[in-house]
Amino acid sequence: MDVGSALAQGENPGRVGDQQRAIRDFNRSEEGVLIAVGRQLATTIEKIQLYHETRRAYEDLRRTQEQLLQSEKMSAVGQLISGVAHELNNPLTAILGYAQLLESEKLEARVQEFIQKLYKQAQRTQKIVQNLLSFARQHKPQRVHVDLRSVMEDTIALRDYDLKVNNITVQRDFEAMLPSVIVDPHQLEQVYLNIINNAADAMLDGRNGGVLRIKIFSDHGHVVCEFHDSGPGLNDPKHVFDPFYTTKSVGKGTGLGLSICYGIVKEHGGEIAARNHPQVAR
């Protein structure tokens, strides 16, 4: 015999059942017991649901706090980079000026060669400093016609020293003739830098060095940028762009970098995807 117990209005409906082989009617006292048990079960279920909702809210709050902390950290790093870059600009300007003056002097060929190398390296350093200032500075979104090869080179320059120190070789495979695209170069630089950083971290995880091949080419009216690294591969390519998804240890990643990249690329009307090479078994 099944007995249904309806809960009070506004509550989730539930059902309490009691089965017996002998058919009989429940008396008022037994019905009262079943109704009381049903209400207790409903209260317990509501408390469990409230617990899970509170736990989810707490997790969302914790993630939001981590995101704010990361934002504050990036802001502080940006201010630090800006200050250091400005301090470097003054001596670099003097080095470039004196190097230019020395180039105009009639000196020995070997000395002239050294001065030219000095001037070239000082120019390169100045460009890196300018890139750091550009990256640290807050920019309003502004889309212009750009050559993606130029944006990529500026991004690589930001990590060039670290990549070389860690024995990571960057191989460029850029198509000679590429159409310009309308993008925000600073936002795209952030995308490229995030991907390069992730590739470098993967290659250096318990290893010494690696190869990062960057390919830029046109395909049916679109400009495509591909990053191929010699790391161990992705554990779950389908979820790498999910917010807060990370395989890094605590303190080394928030899982926001690639999700931000996804949002920027999508906002520009593009597509972004990640996959393992066929030879990488996962």
Side-chain angles (χ1 to χ4, degrees):
M1 185 179 198
D2 292 330
V3 178
S5 174
L7 303 180
Q9 288 185 356
E11 298 180 352
N12 291 325
R15 180 174 292 275
V16 178
D18 180 41
Q19 289 188 346
Q20 296 185 19
R21 291 186 178 182
I23 299 176
R24 71 179 182 84
D25 293 330
F26 283 95
N27 58 38
R28 188 181 298 272
S29 175
E30 290 170 333
E31 286 181 359
V33 170
L34 286 174
I35 291 172
V37 170
R39 286 175 175 169
Q40 286 295 325
L41 288 173
T43 303
T44 303
I45 291 170
E46 286 179 352
K47 288 181 178 179
I48 292 171
Q49 290 175 337
L50 180 62
Y51 166 76
H52 286 297
E53 289 173 1
T54 304
R55 187 173 179 178
R56 282 195 296 268
Y58 173 78
E59 287 296 319
D60 290 341
L61 178 61
R62 182 181 62 80
R63 290 171 181 172
T64 303
Q65 287 175 333
E66 288 180 355
Q67 189 174 358
L68 287 171
L69 286 172
Q70 183 68 10
S71 177
E72 288 296 322
K73 188 193 298 182
M74 290 303 295
S75 176
V77 169
Q79 291 176 2
L80 177 63
I81 289 173
S82 179
V84 171
H86 278 298
E87 289 297 324
L88 287 173
N89 256 336
N90 294 329
L92 274 174
T93 303
I95 292 170
L96 286 167
Y98 283 116
Q100 281 183 310
L101 288 173
L102 287 171
E103 276 189 321
S104 62
E105 297 289 331
K106 294 181 180 180
L107 302 170
E108 296 179 11
R110 185 171 175 79
V111 176
Q112 194 75 24
E113 182 184 351
F114 288 156
I115 292 170
Q116 288 175 352
K117 287 181 179 180
L118 175 66
Y119 182 67
K120 184 178 179 181
Q121 292 303 314
Q123 280 185 313
R124 180 173 172 272
T125 305
Q126 188 181 51
K127 186 177 180 182
I128 293 172
V129 170
Q130 289 171 349
N131 287 341
L132 286 170
L133 280 171
S134 178
F135 186 75
R137 194 177 297 120
Q138 294 294 326
H139 296 272
K140 291 183 178 179
Q142 184 179 9
R143 299 188 184 184
V144 294
H145 283 275
V146 298
D147 184 342
L148 290 188
R149 292 170 298 187
S150 176
V151 179
M152 187 68 75
E153 287 291 358
D154 289 344
T155 309
I156 294 171
L158 293 173
R159 286 299 309 268
D160 190 52
Y161 176 76
D162 287 336
L163 294 173
K164 287 179 179 177
V165 167
N166 290 296
N167 297 320
I168 294 176
T169 303
V170 179
Q171 296 179 349
R172 296 165 174 81
D173 184 6
F174 299 168
E175 198 171 283
M177 299 295 293
L178 283 173
S180 64
V181 293
I182 302 175
V183 297
D184 184 318
H186 302 291
Q187 287 187 333
L188 212 58
E189 190 174 289
Q190 184 179 359
V191 172
Y192 293 160
L193 189 62
N194 262 301
I195 295 172
I196 291 172
N197 287 342
N198 276 274
D201 289 343
M203 287 185 283
L204 293 175
D205 187 14
R207 297 170 182 78
N208 182 24
V211 176
L212 174 62
R213 184 165 70 92
I214 303 174
K215 186 177 180 181
I216 305 179
F217 60 95
S218 58
D219 181 31
H220 297 91
H222 297 84
V223 179
V224 183
C225 298
E226 291 183 351
F227 299 81
H228 304 263
D229 67 72
S230 58
L234 300 166
N235 290 324
D236 194 353
K238 293 181 180 178
H239 294 288
V240 295
F241 300 110
D242 292 350
F244 307 109
Y245 174 85
T246 179
T247 57
K248 297 178 182 178
S249 58
V250 177
K252 290 189 176 180
T254 61
L256 290 173
L258 289 179
S259 65
I260 292 172
C261 293
Y262 182 88
I264 291 173
V265 172
K266 283 292 185 181
E267 189 182 352
H268 281 78
E271 297 291 334
I272 185 170
R275 63 180 183 274
N276 286 319
H277 287 288
Q279 63 269 28
V280 178
R282 283 285 174 185

